[in-house]
């Protein structure tokens, strides 16, 4: 169980990126993390991984996250965290050395599925291939909790669809995904739970089963939570064009 | 031997052209040694020439009582090249760290490794090792040039205190 208790993060300018986040994510869950740009999604993930300092408590099965258990978390980020000058093969060797549970078979299978070259430096890959490789590394690390921060930015729709299907096919029951994305409608059939972040706080937390029971879609839930005003575009356009 | 050479890559950032760093440092050290000899000779040669006087018969004779300046004065800034090389090597870990932010954020990966010191190790160790070699080579050069200074100076023309900072 990944637990966040009253997690706060402020930046130097005084802006609150996270303002008392409480969240529990159990094993095997596939959680979508949604929110507007600047809501705090990336900050939340970086705090979990220890890449940013924070106030509050983040634990993994009751223990603080330290070098002893950090290998249980993996991270795929749209900023990319691979070594651009290295080949895929060199990455595999590096991961095998540092992560004892590295899934070599899964790595090979995913490399083959996405037809990624093994002997070319990653910097020579296309944007889509780079994203795929970033996610392949996160999925192959052998982590229990896989954090993904907008991993498909720049991938085409077919590519993303393939990935969702592959993900659902390969994930083992105890593997947990925390996926931050703006592609709400695309992932709504893939995730089991949606967490909405707004201005550094958890503004909504609901399972897709609950949504189904209520007869609502994920987009409806998000719009309601954010109190989205459907007429704001037409009003703005009206003001801009001086129309009544 | 090849494996030992390849194992050096563990002292540098992943994907960093570490062979080039070693080669460039070796070249810098070679150039520093040549510079040290050049600077040293540019001071020693006139000092040795000053020990002699030309007679009416056009012969060069040693003038009794004339002494070469003490070694530190002759040596001067001969280690300038080594100093510059060392300075570059001291600053290089910054470049090593920034390498992890070039083209991607591999520092994120390095910072979440179970071996937490891996990032620091790879940023610092290689340069530190080369820095130690640079310092040692500088000291060896200092010693070799001292031997040269002693051997090249005619007997009886060394100052009483060869390590004095001034005089002669």
């Amino acid at each position: 169980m990944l637990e966040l208790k009253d997690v706060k993060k402020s930046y130097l300018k005084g802006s609150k990126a996270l303002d008392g986040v409480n969240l529990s994510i159990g094993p095997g869950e596939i959680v979508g993390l949604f929110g507007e740009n600047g809501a705090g999604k990336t900050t939340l993930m970086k705090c979990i991984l220890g890449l940013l300092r924070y106030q509050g408590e983040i634990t993994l099965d009751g223990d603080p996250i330290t070098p002893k258990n950090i290998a249980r978390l993996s991270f795929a980020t749209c900023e990319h965290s691979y070594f651009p000058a290295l080949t895929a093969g060199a990455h595999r060797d590096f991961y095998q050395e540092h992560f004892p549970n590295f899934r070599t078979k899964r790595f090979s299978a995913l490399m083959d599925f996405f037809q990624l070259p093994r002997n070319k430096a990653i910097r020579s890959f296309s944007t889509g291939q780079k994203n795929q490789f970033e996610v392949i590394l996160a999925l192959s690390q052998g982590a229990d909790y896989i954090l993904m921060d907008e991993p498909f930015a720049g991938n085409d729709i077919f590519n993303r669809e393939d990935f969702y299907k592959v993900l659902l096919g390969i994930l083992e029951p105890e593997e947990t995904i925390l996926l931050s994305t703006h592609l709400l409608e695309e992932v709504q059939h893939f995730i089991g739970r949606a967490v909405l972040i707004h201005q550094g706080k958890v503004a909504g937390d609901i399972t897709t089963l609950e949504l189904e029971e209520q007869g609502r879609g994920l987009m409806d839930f998000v719009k309601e939570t954010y109190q989205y005003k459907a007429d704001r575009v037409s009003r703005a356009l009206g003001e801009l064009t001086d129309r009544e | 031997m090849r494996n030992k050479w390849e194992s050096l890559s563990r002292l540098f950032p992943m994907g960093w052209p570490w062979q080039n760093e070693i080669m460039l440092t070796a070249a810098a050290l070679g150039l520093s040694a040549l510079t040290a000899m050049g600077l040293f000779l540019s001071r020693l040669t006139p000092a040795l020439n000053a020990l002699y006087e030309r007679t009416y018969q056009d012969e060069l004779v040693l003038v009794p009582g004339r002494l070469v300046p003490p070694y530190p004065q002759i040596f001067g800034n001969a280690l300038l090249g080594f100093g510059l090389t060392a300075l570059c090597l001291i600053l290089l870990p910054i470049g090593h760290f920034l390498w992890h932010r070039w083209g991607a954020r591999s520092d994120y990966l390095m910072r979440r490794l179970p071996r937490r010191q891996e990032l620091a190790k790879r940023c610092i160790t290689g340069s530190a090792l080369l820095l130690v070699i640079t310092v040692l080579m500088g000291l060896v050069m200092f010693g070799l040039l001292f031997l040269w200074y002693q051997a090249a100076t005619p007997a009886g023309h060394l100052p009483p205190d060869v390590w004095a900072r001034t005089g002669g």
Side-chain angles (χ1 to χ4, degrees):
Chain A
M1 177 78 80
L2 180 64
E3 281 191 290
L4 289 81
K5 288 180 191 162
D6 197 26
V7 173
K8 292 176 183 170
K9 170 69 189 172
S10 299
Y11 287 111
L12 285 176
K13 291 170 191 169
S15 61
K16 284 182 181 174
L18 296 177
D19 190 11
V21 171
N22 291 291
L23 191 64
S24 296
I25 300 170
E29 283 195 85
I30 300 179
V31 182
L33 190 63
F34 307 106
E36 75 276 20
N37 290 329
K41 306 183 295 293
T42 301
T43 303
L44 183 72
M45 289 195 173
K46 288 181 179 174
C47 286
I48 294 171
L49 292 158
L51 299 174
L52 291 175
R53 288 183 182 180
Y54 59 88
Q55 288 176 295
E57 193 182 23
I58 300 177
T59 56
L60 190 57
D61 293 336
D63 298 320
I65 294 163
T66 64
K68 279 185 183 173
N69 59 4
I70 190 78
R72 292 185 61 201
L73 301 171
S74 69
F75 187 39
T77 165
C78 55
E79 292 178 272
H80 300 147
S81 58
Y82 49 67
F83 305 104
L86 292 190
T87 63
H91 278 84
R92 181 199 55 218
D93 296 344
F94 182 81
Y95 269 69
Q96 278 174 338
E97 184 188 337
H98 289 276
F99 298 105
N101 297 329
F102 184 75
R103 295 170 185 267
T104 307
K105 203 174 159 189
R106 184 184 280 185
F107 178 83
S108 295
L110 289 171
M111 288 295 291
D112 290 341
F113 179 79
F114 290 105
Q115 297 177 316
L116 297 182
R118 286 165 200 257
N119 298 316
K120 279 171 74 178
I122 311 301
R123 65 172 161 231
S124 67
F125 284 14
S126 68
T127 305
Q129 287 178 317
K130 286 175 180 172
N131 289 341
Q132 286 167 346
F133 187 68
E134 177 78 8
V135 176
I136 288 173
L137 287 174
L139 289 172
S140 306
Q141 187 191 299
D144 298 327
Y145 291 81
I146 300 160
L147 280 60
M148 297 190 192
D149 186 17
E150 301 192 35
F152 308 118
N155 283 52
D156 61 62
I157 177 70
F158 305 111
N159 211 295
R160 297 197 299 265
E161 290 279 343
D162 278 351
F163 230 117
Y164 301 138
K165 287 173 192 166
V166 168
L167 268 178
L168 286 175
I170 63 163
L171 284 179
E172 290 181 11
E174 74 279 7
E175 285 182 282
T176 309
I177 300 262
L178 180 59
L179 172 67
S180 156
T181 180
H182 292 290
L183 306 167
L184 282 169
E185 281 159 325
E186 257 181 55
V187 300
Q188 64 178 337
H189 303 298
F190 163 67
I191 59 171
R193 179 179 163 195
V195 173
L196 272 61
I197 303 280
H198 181 53
Q199 294 177 345
K201 290 180 178 169
V202 175
D205 187 352
I206 195 165
T207 63
T208 47
L209 193 66
E210 285 173 309
L211 280 174
E212 270 176 41
E213 284 169 359
Q214 293 168 13
R216 291 194 296 170
L218 182 58
M219 187 58 93
D220 300 325
F221 172 68
V222 171
K223 283 180 177 174
E224 282 167 29
T225 309
Y226 285 133
Q227 296 170 330
Y228 178 75
K229 294 181 181 70
D231 62 339
R232 66 190 277 264
V233 176
S234 55
R235 274 198 327 203
L237 284 173
E239 283 168 18
L240 283 168
T241 53
D242 290 332
R243 271 181 276 166
E244 299 249 332
Chain B
M1 186 66 191
R2 185 175 168 78
N3 279 347
K4 276 187 182 175
W5 172 249
E6 289 298 326
S7 67
L8 284 176
S9 68
R10 291 171 175 277
L11 307 179
F12 297 91
M14 291 293 290
W16 175 261
W18 58 275
Q19 296 98 328
N20 292 355
E21 183 177 325
I22 292 176
M23 293 300 178
L24 280 171
T25 308
L29 290 178
L31 207 62
S32 300
L34 288 175
T35 309
M37 277 197 286
L39 288 169
F40 173 75
L41 286 176
S42 72
R43 290 196 195 86
L44 182 65
T45 308
L48 290 175
N49 288 341
L51 299 178
Y52 295 88
E53 244 180 31
R54 199 167 287 279
T55 64
Y56 291 114
Q57 287 81 31
D58 205 27
E59 285 174 359
L60 280 173
V61 290
L62 275 166
V63 181
R66 282 197 186 171
L67 303 173
V68 292
Y71 183 63
Q73 213 172 316
I74 295 290
F75 190 76
N77 58 354
L79 292 182
L80 183 71
F82 288 97
L84 288 174
T85 306
L87 185 67
C88 291
L89 289 168
I90 287 167
L91 295 175
L92 205 53
I94 298 169
H96 286 164
F97 179 74
L98 293 176
W99 173 254
H100 293 94
R101 293 180 170 205
W102 187 72
R105 293 298 304 264
S106 56
D107 57 317
Y108 290 163
L109 170 61
M110 297 301 289
R111 287 168 60 197
R112 61 179 188 83
L113 291 177
R115 267 187 251 157
R116 196 51 75 89
Q117 75 285 6
E118 189 73 11
L119 177 62
K121 189 191 97 180
R122 285 182 179 266
C123 286
I124 295 168
T125 317
S127 303
L129 192 69
L130 292 173
L131 182 64
V132 168
I133 292 170
T134 302
V135 171
L136 287 176
M137 269 199 71
L139 289 173
V140 167
M141 206 66 205
F142 185 80
L144 285 176
L145 293 181
F146 179 69
L147 294 176
W148 191 341
Y149 165 82
Q150 279 196 313
T153 307
H157 292 270
L158 282 169
D161 181 6
V162 291
W163 297 106
R165 293 211 50 89
T166 54

